[in-house]
Amino acid sequence: MRKSFLAAMSVLTVLSASACSEKASDNLENAGSAIGNDVSNAVDQAGEKIDRGLDKAGNAIDESSDRMGAAMDNASRDAEREAREAKRDVGSAMERAGNDIRKD
């Protein structure tokens, strides 16, 4: 009977160990999945932050480019106006010089 009892205990120990091993394996698998999900979420969030940062940078570049274009347009108009005024002033000066030459 003693041998039967020891044999039964051995069988129960083996069954318990395999069940425990299976449970540990399941826990390890679940932990691995959770870690994988966490890493995946972190990578997704980082990608979204990078995308938002690039969008902001692109918008800032576009706005700066628009302001520079407007400033260049204004400068071009100012330069054209100044050139017309200078042309008119030179023409007036030449006309006065011609009148002065005739008087002499």
Side-chain angles (χ1 to χ4, degrees):
M1 178 145 157
R2 190 171 196 205
K3 288 184 181 182
S4 300
F5 179 74
L6 287 177
M9 288 303 285
S10 295
V11 169
L12 286 175
T13 302
V14 169
L15 289 175
S16 294
S18 71
C20 182
S21 177
E22 192 174 312
K23 185 176 180 181
S25 176
D26 288 345
N27 287 341
L28 182 60
E29 184 179 331
N30 290 339
S33 292
I35 290 170
N37 289 338
D38 288 347
V39 169
S40 179
N41 289 337
V43 168
D44 289 345
Q45 289 175 355
E48 289 172 7
K49 285 182 182 181
I50 290 169
D51 285 345
R52 284 193 300 270
L54 290 174
D55 287 345
K56 286 181 181 179
N59 290 338
I61 290 169
D62 287 345
E63 290 173 9
S64 295
S65 178
D66 290 345
R67 285 194 301 270
M68 286 176 55
M72 290 174 66
D73 288 345
N74 289 339
S76 176
R77 282 192 294 274
D78 290 347
E80 288 175 0
R81 186 181 66 247
E82 292 292 329
R84 281 193 304 273
E85 289 175 9
K87 183 179 174 183
R88 192 172 37 246
D89 290 346
V90 168
S92 294
M94 289 177 71
E95 188 175 328
R96 285 192 302 275
N99 288 339
D100 287 345
I101 290 173
R102 279 192 215 136
K103 288 181 185 178
D104 290 335

